[in-house]
Amino acid sequence: MAGAAALNTAHIPTVDTPPTPVSASTGTLHPHDGAADTQTGDGITVPGGWLPDTTAQQVAAAAALLWLRRRRAYQPGQPSTDASDPAPLPTTVTAVRTALTDADTQQPPATPATAALPALPTPCVALTGDGAADAARGILLTRLLAAMRDPQDTTRLLITHAALATLLPDISTDTEIPGLRVVGTVDQAAALLASLINAPPAPGGGAGPPDVLLLTDPPNVPTTAQLATLHHAGATVVMLGVRPFGTTWNINRHGHTRDEHTGRAGPRLCVLNRTAATDLLAVISHPTRARQDPVTEPAPPRRRRVETGRIRIPRQAGSDRRAAAPDLSAVTNPRLQVRVLGRPALLASGEPVTIRRSAALQVLVFLAMHPEGATTTDLVQTIWPGLPAHTVTGRLYTTLSDLRASIRTATGATVLGHTDDRYHLNPDRVDVDLWRLHAAAHHAATVLTDPAPAWQTVIDTYTGDLAAGHTWAWIDPPREATRRLVLDAYASAAAAQTDPHHRLRILQDAIRVDPYNQTLHQLAADQLNALGDADAAARLLDGYQRRLQLAGIAASDQPAPTSR
């Protein structure tokens, strides 16, 4: 997914194009064993299924797009709610992204979205065998991922209510899945498919009828005859366990197919159990009643509790504990500095210390985010998700030993401690920029008079995204939480300003931190209108919409900001 055009207004200088969001298959310093079985050039195995490489890459791209949507929807300076927290993505999504990262540090050649699903026999293919239901879910997911590149109203797959309830009983009825259309009965599906195929082409072209009709309930004789005539338009009927006509594929639980008539092996299909398919659909689906709160003026500088020195990480043991703030005053002219805002680095007397393993760098960043420490389970579940802890404990010990050796060679000091079964950084020996950011945020949230300088300190302390340039599958929630912390500081600083020009400059700086945030663009446009420059406000919002379109976010996902 691409970045987008810079801000284009008379009063706001050009904004640098943000780094291009990339899939999880790039950005590691050093390859290491993956959290899922990997078959180079073939696919990956994750808990609950197997995905072709192309499908896995599409899942990673969809996950990145979901995070952009979350960034778009966040409202800086407003009271936070549970719904606004940067929740981690489901376990299977994390496992897919981790496997891609570990499989290869090089991006594979671009592959058409349709290549993830092999050509299906027409007019009908019946799926039987131990892996039939899992393969049907794999076909469903593969077609819906392909639909993400289509026009907004494209339907890639038709399915009956009975089939959806059979394959995905946990899918909420309050969910919209782009590319999927659900009908009541097989007869209705056949009639609808026939009408779509026979309809005149839409003006200006556009997507055609659905590619797949997925059924679990057998059609009657007249409907079977009707379905058999639809293959000339490229639509394939996929039936689970019923074979009134067409080809029958026997599928094992690994996705390998065999033609029951000829006995010949066929293509391997994506297979997903219910949990894995539901997890992966989370990056595609949208709530049908999305929150559409109005964009409001920044709230006055507010006092709020800040959890100093800690960012929530998914699936971590002991996450309910309060983290105490490190005593930063005790660290005087430290020789060792940990920088995790921007490109992460370990500096000894200002010189970078070489960290050879990607896993070691992840441990360093994770411990910087958790001054209270982390257990062995915390670390292995974060860095190697989806694998039993006992299978990677040795790998973790090797990683920690290598990290200790690197630090000791550069400084002669031991800064990685182990107390009460928790690994931690020694706050008396190391200075961490993230700790200083949280200490500044805590001070700004509690200061009673003249808070503007305190909010500015938060802004100045933030030197870049958390672990910028790395696409570790676990980093997105804490990265977004840190970004939101500084966006709140910008909103509070803007609200404290009485000079409208200075207020506009603060908002434009905030947009540079997150060029996808809708609230910031709306507030900046409102400020331009208040200053009498409606043309600049219109250009700002138009440029913002182009940025979203280039990133792949449809205008209909949420109401676009409009100048008021």
Side-chain angles (χ1 to χ4, degrees):
M1 294 183 296
L7 296 176
N8 183 19
T9 73
H11 292 277
I12 299 182
T14 300
V15 175
D16 293 336
T17 301
T20 302
V22 295
S23 75
S25 58
T26 62
T28 58
L29 293 182
H30 183 77
H32 58 83
D33 292 338
D37 295 336
T38 302
Q39 298 178 2
T40 305
D42 185 9
I44 62 171
T45 300
V46 295
W50 178 87
L51 300 85
D53 283 338
T54 302
T55 302
Q57 292 156 18
Q58 291 167 2
V59 169
L65 192 61
L66 178 58
W67 279 108
L68 287 185
R69 290 194 182 98
R70 290 181 174 185
R71 289 170 60 178
R72 179 191 190 189
Y74 182 65
Q75 296 189 350
Q78 301 302 316
S80 62
T81 64
D82 290 341
S84 67
D85 289 340
L89 299 184
T91 303
T92 308
V93 179
T94 302
V96 169
R97 296 182 62 195
T98 302
L100 283 174
T101 301
D102 297 334
D104 197 346
T105 59
Q106 300 297 321
Q107 278 283 20
T111 307
T114 54
L117 181 63
L120 299 173
T122 58
C124 172
V125 57
L127 309 180
T128 63
D130 294 340
D134 288 355
R137 283 184 282 265
I139 290 172
L140 185 149
L141 180 86
T142 302
R143 302 318 295 143
L144 297 182
L145 285 168
M148 295 186 67
R149 297 176 178 269
D150 293 336
Q152 188 68 15
D153 59 350
T154 296
T155 297
R156 281 280 187 170
L157 188 144
L158 275 178
I159 192 170
T160 61
H161 282 293
L164 188 61
T166 298
L167 297 174
L168 297 168
D170 298 327
I171 291 294
S172 170
T173 57
D174 190 29
T175 299
E176 176 187 355
I177 303 178
L180 179 67
R181 186 163 180 176
V182 184
V183 294
T185 66
V186 178
D187 291 345
Q188 292 173 356
L192 176 60
L193 191 58
S195 67
L196 293 174
I197 290 174
N198 296 323
D211 305 284
V212 173
L213 170 59
L214 183 56
L215 306 173
T216 59
D217 33 343
N220 55 35
V221 175
T223 303
T224 297
Q226 185 179 15
L227 292 175
T229 66
L230 301 177
H231 67 280
H232 66 276
T236 298
V237 180
V238 177
M239 297 186 181
L240 187 61
V242 292
R243 17 174 137 58
F245 64 98
T247 304
T248 299
W249 277 354
N250 185 280
I251 304 173
N252 67 16
R253 60 189 183 90
H254 301 294
H256 297 290
T257 64
R258 178 176 55 82
D259 190 309
E260 287 195 348
H261 177 66
T262 65
R264 294 178 180 176
R268 189 177 186 183
L269 298 180
C270 175
V271 283
L272 301 167
N273 67 13
R274 290 178 177 178
T275 299
T278 302
D279 280 359
L280 296 182
L281 282 173
V283 299
I284 301 174
S285 60
H286 309 297
T288 55
R289 292 187 293 272
R291 180 172 62 91
Q292 298 181 3
D293 298 332
V295 176
T296 60
E297 291 297 308
R302 52 196 171 92
R303 296 174 61 188
R304 61 181 180 128
R305 178 174 56 83
V306 175
E307 290 187 348
T308 306
R310 181 173 186 271
I311 300 174
R312 293 181 183 177
I313 297 295
R315 304 185 305 282
Q316 297 307 316
S319 61
D320 58 337
R321 286 191 296 272
R322 301 290 183 200
D327 183 9
L328 299 181
S329 62
V331 184
T332 57
N333 298 319
R335 292 186 59 205
L336 195 64
Q337 298 174 315
V338 175
R339 297 291 172 258
V340 296
L341 299 175
R343 294 287 298 191
L346 177 65
L347 304 175
S349 300
E351 294 297 324
V353 175
T354 300
I355 299 177
R356 296 179 299 172
R357 296 173 178 265
S358 172
L361 186 63
Q362 292 184 64
V363 167
L364 184 66
V365 173
F366 187 83
L367 295 181
M369 291 159 39
H370 291 265
E372 79 281 14
T375 66
T376 298
T377 301
D378 295 337
L379 292 169
V380 297
Q381 286 184 348
T382 297
I383 301 173
W384 298 285
L387 290 180
H390 70 274
T391 65
V392 289
T393 300
R395 194 181 309 173
L396 174 64
Y397 293 155
T398 300
T399 297
L400 291 170
S401 177
D402 187 80
L403 180 60
R404 282 196 180 103
S406 297
I407 297 174
R408 191 179 301 112
T409 299
T411 67
T414 300
V415 299
L416 185 61
H418 188 233
T419 306
D420 296 330
D421 294 326
R422 302 181 72 83
Y423 295 96
H424 60 87
L425 298 178
N426 186 343
D428 296 329
R429 296 290 186 89
V430 66
D431 172 70
V432 181
D433 56 356
L434 185 63
W435 296 356
R436 293 194 176 276
L437 175 69
H438 279 264
H442 182 273
H443 173 69
T446 55
V447 68
L448 297 177
T449 59
D450 192 19
W455 291 119
Q456 188 60 48
T457 299
V458 177
I459 292 168
D460 293 340
T461 306
Y462 184 79
T463 55
D465 285 346
L466 182 67
H470 293 277
T471 53
W472 306 318
W474 58 270
I475 197 66
D476 285 315
R479 177 181 287 161
E480 179 63 13
T482 306
R483 184 188 292 114
R484 290 180 179 187
L485 180 67
V486 75
L487 292 182
D488 286 344
Y490 275 108
S492 297
Q497 273 300 323
T498 57
D499 181 351
H501 293 279
H502 193 181
R503 188 183 190 194
L504 177 61
R505 287 194 293 272
I506 292 174
L507 291 171
Q508 78 181 63
D509 289 341
I511 288 173
R512 291 187 177 91
V513 172
D514 193 348
Y516 294 97
N517 186 268
Q518 175 175 311
T519 296
L520 295 175
H521 283 82
Q522 184 63 68
L523 293 174
D526 290 346
Q527 193 63 53
L528 285 167
N529 281 324
L531 291 171
D533 198 340
D535 289 342
R539 290 195 299 272
L540 170 63
L541 295 179
D542 181 66
Y544 173 59
Q545 288 304 309
R546 291 198 302 271
R547 182 184 297 274
L548 295 180
Q549 291 168 5
L550 287 172
I553 302 176
S556 59
D557 284 352
Q558 275 190 334
T562 55
S563 186
R564 296 176 297 175

